[in-house]
Structure formats: C-alpha cells, structure tokens
Amino acid sequence: MSETGLSAAWKPDSWQSSTVGQIPRYGDAAHSEAVMAALAKLPPLVTSWEIEALRAHIALAQAGKAFVLQGGDCAETFEDCTSAVIVNKLKILLQMSVAIISGIKLPVVRIGRIAGQYAKPRSADTEVRDGVSLPSFRGDIINRNAFTADDREPDPELMLRAYERAALTLNFIRGLIDGGFADLHHPENWDLDWVSHSPLADEYQHMVQTAADGLDFFESITGKSIDQARRVDFYTAHEGLHLPYEQAQTRFLAHRQKWYDLTTHFPWIGARTSRPGSAHIEFFRGVSNPVGVKISTDMSPEWLRSLIRSLNPDNEPGRLTLIHRFGASRIRDLLPPLIETVRQEGALVLWVCDPMHGNTETASNGLKTR
C-alpha cells in the first residue's frame, strides 16, 4: 500500500469528498485546521512496528493459532484518565486472558478499547429537553455533556485534550507492563474486589495459582527464567469515528512505504458509518493498520462483499476483522449467510463477537444496560 500504489486517489483528507456521517461541522474552520496542524506535529501515540506486530498476531488468530480478546468501555471520558480506572481495566483483561488461555491452550492477543474511545455515534443530531433543542453530546473529543448551547458546540481544542489523555493513558499502561505488572508469577497483582464475591472465584484463583506454580516448577528444575511470562503484549483500539482526529495523526512512513493511522493500533469502523462509499470506508481503506468493522443486523451479503473488496483488496493476512453484534436472539439467522459470503470471496478475515451491543436492555428509568 505504497504512496504511489494508492496514487492520487487516496490521501488522508480524501474522505472529505465522500458521504460524511456522524462528524459535526466546526463553526470556525480556520480554528479546526490550526488544531489539526498542531496535532500533526505531535509525536505519534503508537508506532508502526507495534501495528505490524498486531497485524501478525491477528493473522495467527485468522489461522486458528491465537485468540483475540478485546475489552473496554463503550465510551471513555477525560475524567476516566486516572490510575485506578486504568489499572482496573488492565486487570480485567489480564484475568480474562488467563482464563481463556487455560481453557483453549492458545496464545491470547490482548486489545484494550482504551486511550482514544472518546467519540460517540448518535442516532439523532439533536437532543430536546423541556422544549429546548441542542446538538447531541458526541463524546469528550467533540463537545461537552452539559446541556447548554456553549457546551454542546463542537470545540476543536478538545481533540488536543483527547490526544493528551490518550498519551497519558498509554504511558501509564506501558509503564505498568514494562515494570512487571502483568507478570504471571505474581497474579495477586491483578485481584479485583468483585472477583472474591463471584461464585467462580475459587475456581479462578485455583487456575491462576496453578499457572504460577507451574512456572515456578519449570524454572526451578531448568534453572532458566521464562521471561515471556513476565510481560505481555498489549494493544489499543478505538472506533475511528472522528476522522479529523484520525487524519491529523496519519503519516506516510518512507521506510515502510505505507500510510499509518498512529492514534491507535487497531481502529474500527462502526455500524453507522460502514456504508459503501462512506467517508469512513474511504479513510480506512488507505491506512495500513489492521482494521475492524462492526457488523450489525442490517448488513447484507452484498454490503459485506463491498466492504471486503474496499478494505482488503489484496486479501492480506491480519488486515480485516469483522466484529458482529447481532444479539443472542438473531445470531443464528443472520451470521451464517455472512460467513458463507466470506467463504465465497475467499477472504481472510477474523470473526470477533461483540456480545454487548446486540444485547441491550433498557431499564424503566431509560438507562441502557448490556
């Protein structure tokens, strides 16, 4: 996917000529351009070698030789950038990965929905309260939650705040992992309060302790340290919804002859922005990151076929992940035709299940739970 290979048909800003959805306009275009220029000068949040390593791991998962675990919040807030919140998210993913490894005996690729999940898609552009209509809150990277005209006005400066929070989060995660937080020799570091109340708490503790004891036994009889058990590879992901932010941190790396979105290792395209010809498809077809696409209930075989051909025309291993979110009641009917479409295309994809967003329940007070 070289610069010459994509030719003039693709540039980081070519999405602006496509059908744009879920991206509000900034009132002051000059201001937003200045912010994007400032973002483009800042160091990247992730590196191309990390991205390429993740692509290789996803390729292994596509071949049935690894398992991808992705977890995190539906939406991050700037207030969530605290050590306690970040540590707990990392603990949960580490605990889940140990349970999966114990069950399937395969490596687990850990991807956190973190350090960038600041934008929210909306079904309506406006919100009405007591007869007052204001723009919808679209996440901390775009506007503010308070129901006032000033707060709901899209503010490009928030992209800089999002970059800063993402950088702080990534720095802390890397420090924890490099410092031995993920060391399987010391699983007590991962304990969460809620685990002790779980009916499976004893089984989990036994599983983790067995793994730790096994490591100690092997090292004692061989006299060798299993260094790979002392740290893990950890990757980040977010929905690449706010394309001005993604564009600003997208760079052509001459030594690789590829474009990379350096805001995250694994961006994905949401169900609301994945129509053929959409701005989001146009943008992500040009970057070399592994890319995910949310597959929802209205996805047709023809639509999916178009996505596959647009996003991975060369059928590269590790490039494309399909994240289905049908819900327990509809998956039996809706998933098989799409699997057959992928088979007919001969496409290399990784199927990932999103068990949350297809199983939403609305409480009596209007709050959604998953």
Side-chain angles (χ1 to χ4, degrees):
M1 196 177 294
S2 69
E3 188 172 25
T4 54
L6 281 173
S7 73
W10 190 92
K11 293 291 183 182
D13 62 353
S14 63
W15 62 270
Q16 297 181 27
S17 300
S18 302
T19 302
V20 179
Q22 298 289 332
I23 304 175
R25 292 183 178 275
Y26 291 110
D28 187 339
H31 187 191
S32 64
E33 290 290 338
V35 168
M36 291 175 65
L39 268 174
K41 294 178 181 178
L42 293 173
L45 292 170
V46 300
T47 64
S48 63
W49 56 86
E50 292 170 337
I51 291 170
E52 291 297 336
L54 176 58
R55 179 198 282 265
H57 289 317
I58 292 176
L60 285 176
Q62 289 175 338
K65 298 178 181 179
F67 184 91
V68 171
L69 170 66
Q70 180 181 335
D73 287 337
C74 181
E76 288 179 277
T77 67
F78 293 166
E79 291 183 354
D80 286 341
C81 188
T82 67
S83 58
V85 170
I86 296 167
V87 164
N88 279 343
K89 289 178 183 178
L90 187 57
K91 284 179 178 179
I92 291 171
L93 284 171
L94 289 171
Q95 287 182 321
M96 292 178 69
S97 65
V98 169
I100 292 169
I101 291 169
S102 177
I104 66 175
K105 307 297 188 295
L106 288 174
V108 169
V109 184
R110 302 162 185 86
I111 304 177
R113 183 170 170 155
I114 195 170
Q117 189 59 43
Y118 299 121
K120 298 167 67 70
R122 289 303 193 189
S123 56
D125 291 335
T126 59
E127 179 183 355
V128 179
R129 296 186 192 177
D130 300 324
V132 177
S133 177
L134 292 176
S136 296
F137 173 56
R138 291 184 174 272
D140 283 358
I141 195 173
I142 295 174
N143 56 5
R144 297 172 178 84
N145 196 20
F147 195 73
T148 71
D150 287 343
D151 285 314
R152 291 299 177 89
E153 181 69 20
D155 180 359
E157 292 288 335
L158 295 175
M159 287 191 284
L160 290 172
R161 303 290 83 75
Y163 171 90
E164 291 163 1
R165 295 306 194 281
L168 290 168
T169 300
L170 278 166
N171 181 66
F172 186 46
I173 289 172
R174 286 176 171 136
L176 287 171
I177 290 175
D178 290 342
F181 180 81
D183 190 346
L184 192 55
H185 296 80
H186 300 286
E188 66 275 6
N189 292 340
W190 312 346
D191 284 348
L192 293 168
D193 291 340
W194 56 266
V195 173
S196 62
H197 305 296
S198 167
L200 297 177
D202 290 342
E203 182 178 344
Y204 170 77
Q205 296 294 351
H206 176 72
M207 176 197 312
V208 174
Q209 192 58 53
T210 298
D213 290 345
L215 288 173
D216 291 340
F217 175 74
F218 179 87
E219 291 176 339
S220 66
I221 64 173
T222 63
K224 297 179 180 180
S225 172
I226 304 179
D227 292 331
Q228 288 184 337
R230 301 186 185 278
R231 72 179 310 279
V232 298
D233 291 323
F234 185 86
Y235 302 98
T236 63
H238 65 249
E239 180 179 355
L241 184 64
H242 196 50
L243 293 183
Y245 177 74
E246 309 298 324
Q247 175 190 325
Q249 280 268 302
T250 295
R251 299 176 186 180
F252 182 76
L253 302 185
H255 67 287
R256 293 191 185 274
Q257 289 292 296
K258 295 178 181 179
W259 290 94
Y260 290 90
D261 178 355
L262 298 174
T263 67
T264 188
H265 303 107
F266 181 71
W268 79 84
I269 304 165
R272 291 185 175 95
T273 54
S274 62
R275 290 283 180 184
S278 70
H280 291 78
I281 298 299
E282 170 60 22
F283 177 79
F284 285 109
R285 79 176 180 87
V287 299
S288 295
N289 305 58
V291 173
V293 184
K294 284 292 186 78
I295 305 298
S296 195
T297 54
D298 56 350
M299 177 69 65
S300 66
E302 294 75 19
W303 182 355
L304 178 57
R305 192 173 291 111
S306 174
L307 291 178
I308 292 170
R309 293 175 181 178
S310 294
L311 294 172
N312 195 18
D314 297 327
N315 205 21
E316 298 173 1
R319 161 66 172 173
L320 186 58
T321 296
L322 303 178
I323 309 169
H324 58 81
R325 41 165 291 176
F326 298 127
S329 63
R330 306 190 66 183
I331 189 169
R332 186 182 298 273
D333 297 325
L334 297 178
L335 182 57
L338 300 183
I339 292 176
E340 182 58 29
T341 298
V342 171
R343 285 177 176 167
Q344 291 172 0
E345 286 291 294
L348 294 171
V349 307
L350 176 66
W351 289 98
V352 170
C353 175
D354 176 354
M356 308 301 290
H357 290 85
N359 295 300
T360 302
E361 296 182 7
T362 302
S364 58
N365 60 1
L367 292 177
K368 294 181 179 180
T369 59
R370 298 184 175 106

